[in-house]
Amino acid sequence: MRFDLVIANGTIATASDVFAADIAIRDGVIVQIGRDLGEAAETIDATGRYVLPGGIDSHVHIAQPSGEGIVMADDFESGTRSALFGGNTTILPFCLQEKGRPLRQALKAYHALADGNCYTDVSFHLIVSDPSDAVLGQELPALVEDGYTSFKVFMTYEDLRLSDAQILDTMDVARRTGALVMVHCENEDAIRYLIGRHEAEGDVAPRAHAATRPIAVEREATHRAVSLAEVADVPLVIVHVSNREAMEEIERARRRGRKVIGETCPQYLMLTADDLEGMDWEGSKFVCSPPPRDAESQDACWDGLERGVFDLFSSDHCPFRYDDPAGKRNARGMTSFRHIPNGIPGVELRLPILFSEGVVKGRIDLQRFVALTATNQARTYGLYPRKGTIAIGADADITLWDPAVTRTVRHAEMHDGADYSPYEGLELSGWPTTIVLGGKVMIRDGELVGRKGDGQYRRRDRSHLATPRNSAVP
């Protein structure tokens, strides 16, 4: 046969174009785009469906250490399976450096968890929690050379946060090596002050989680992060932005000529702080950081997606079981919001939510959908043009979307390891029905036909964005 697979009669969408054509695949790569491409071992008729690049979710937490007695709900098998059913073909989880532990050791253990267990391709960000001289001077530079070209720093969580001086030291390594820095922006000292006030008043229910992490602590930390990046002369990614005030800090930095990438997530479009009010501790299902805000902030985030304040739409999938002593309802968590694990599941619904609420409702067009969920993700993190687009020479990672399918979200029909969905009952229009990974059909008309282990680890190049603005810092 001339080709391994042909996808025929569909409407192809990229970040720049929408057009009718067929796609021919050989040896896992797109080799031809056109009409009447000839014989293939298999032909998929995509009539009435959109043919899009496979989704890339660059903000995912899987099998991550989460504190004594707490277990994350997803391992690589369930997490990547869930991602695949949601139309994703690549995810980028975080490898967490625990304090006192070399990054190489953490990576070796993380690779062991992933190897042979993935339904999607994966690549790893690094979380730097202990920027020792050895980490900054030896490990990080070597790891960037090995393809681990992005790392995340925290300004919150006592066991993860770095001081401003440590953030600057880490950014300096990024500047010298061409890596990209991601920042979780919340002011931990302000949060601890507010926690103390709430505990003194006996207000320890889940709703207090949102009250102790108000917009001001995110806004201040965002301003500080972009200021530190300006001092160090590095671009940066501000992850999971939840409100207009933080968005304005990103826009102000850009007007000064800084390279700042903005990211938001489904929870900031669909949930509010009111969801944390649930009785019988059910509000803990919605505990994540930053917390969901209000309707005005939802509108602001939609505005940011439409206007380009946000370059990335990611899930921040961080799943814990609710009715589980190792999850949301752990013994300490039932006494105070402080001990409720932070995070919610979302990797499977990231794309369907944005398609239904964004494309179908006319907030964004199909090209913008592709850019936010695949192309910009690949460009930002060193995967483009192998991934994130439909083009000759690109990996044949393709998702077929049926705009006529309507679904009601029921966790019983999801594929993650959690026991609830924060979006239960949401009505969605449009769904990914067939997913191709590296030329292999993984899901066919909603049925899993691929195997665990078909997904592979992918080394990444340096981001084209990770170039200093100037040479002011020697």
Side-chain angles (χ1 to χ4, degrees), residues 31-54:
V31 294
Q32 197 166 333
I33 300 173
R35 286 295 198 186
D36 301 320
L37 299 181
E39 293 185 352
E42 180 181 1
T43 297
I44 295 175
D45 184 1
T47 299
R49 288 182 281 180
Y50 294 122
V51 181
L52 311 182

Side-chain angles (χ1 to χ4, degrees), residues 171 179-183 225-230 233-238 249-262 309 311 380 463-470:
M171 286 179 169
L180 192 61
V181 178
M182 311 161 73
V183 187
V226 297
S227 299
L228 293 173
E230 189 169 349
D233 186 25
V234 292
L236 79 164
V237 181
I238 305 294
E249 295 296 336
I250 293 172
E251 292 182 285
R252 275 192 283 269
R254 288 175 177 173
R255 287 196 293 270
R256 295 195 303 272
R258 306 308 308 172
K259 292 181 183 178
V260 183
I261 305 301
V309 180
D311 309 274
T380 299
S463 171
H464 75 285
L465 297 168
T467 303
R469 171 71 179 177
N470 53 59

Side-chain angles (χ1 to χ4, degrees), residues 189-373:
D189 289 330
I191 292 166
R192 290 174 71 83
Y193 162 73
L194 291 170
I195 287 173
R197 279 176 44 182
H198 278 260
E199 288 184 327
E201 296 168 2
D203 184 7
V204 295
R207 65 178 178 270
H209 172 78
T212 57
R213 293 176 176 268
I215 286 173
V217 307
E218 184 181 349
R219 181 191 66 227
E220 184 280 331
T222 303
H223 174 80
R224 185 156 38 99
V226 297
S227 299
L228 293 173
E230 189 169 349
V231 170
D233 186 25
V234 292
L236 79 164
V237 181
I238 305 294
V239 296
H240 47 48
V241 175
S242 72
N243 62 84
R244 186 175 301 279
E245 289 86 340
M247 290 165 52
E248 289 170 346
E249 295 296 336
I250 293 172
E251 292 182 285
R252 275 192 283 269
R254 288 175 177 173
R255 287 196 293 270
R256 295 195 303 272
R258 306 308 308 172
K259 292 181 183 178
V260 183
I261 305 301
E263 174 199 84
T264 196
C265 309
Q267 50 267 39
Y268 307 120
L269 306 179
M270 307 306 298
L271 305 176
T272 71
D274 291 344
D275 290 306
L276 279 75
E277 295 279 354
M279 299 298 291
D280 193 28
W281 231 249
E282 283 200 35
S284 66
K285 292 180 178 180
F286 304 92
V287 167
C288 59
S289 295
R293 304 298 184 184
D294 53 22
E296 182 180 354
S297 293
Q298 288 179 340
D299 291 341
C301 288
W302 275 115
D303 180 57
L305 288 168
E306 295 168 29
R307 291 193 297 110
V309 180
F310 297 123
D311 309 274
L312 307 173
F313 186 73
S314 308
S315 69
D316 193 8
H317 178 75
C318 187
F320 298 92
R321 293 179 62 82
Y322 167 65
D323 193 14
D324 192 318
K328 297 282 188 178
R329 291 173 63 88
N330 69 85
R332 296 179 72 203
M334 292 296 289
T335 67
S336 171
F337 69 94
R338 286 185 61 189
H339 307 297
I340 297 170
N342 263 263
I344 60 176
V347 69
E348 190 166 345
L349 293 173
R350 174 186 72 120
L351 295 172
I353 285 173
L354 189 62
F355 189 91
S356 181
E357 296 293 314
V359 177
V360 173
K361 293 188 176 180
R363 290 176 166 123
I364 60 173
D365 61 24
L366 196 57
Q367 298 99 302
R368 183 76 178 134
F369 174 84
V370 172
L372 287 163
T373 61

Side-chain angles (χ1 to χ4, degrees), residues 19 40 67 88 106 130 132 161 175 179 188 204 231 254 287 327 331 338 341-342 371 395 419-420 431 453 465:
F19 56 97
N88 301 283
D130 190 2
S132 65
R161 70 159 168 168
R175 181 184 61 84
E188 177 68 12
V204 295
V231 170
R254 288 175 177 173
V287 167
R338 286 185 61 189
N342 263 263
D395 287 356
D419 58 355
Y420 76 98
W431 205 265
L465 297 168

Side-chain angles (χ1 to χ4, degrees), residues 62-63 72-80:
I62 291 176
M72 195 163 277
D74 274 328
D75 57 17
F76 278 90
E77 179 178 357
S78 62
T80 58

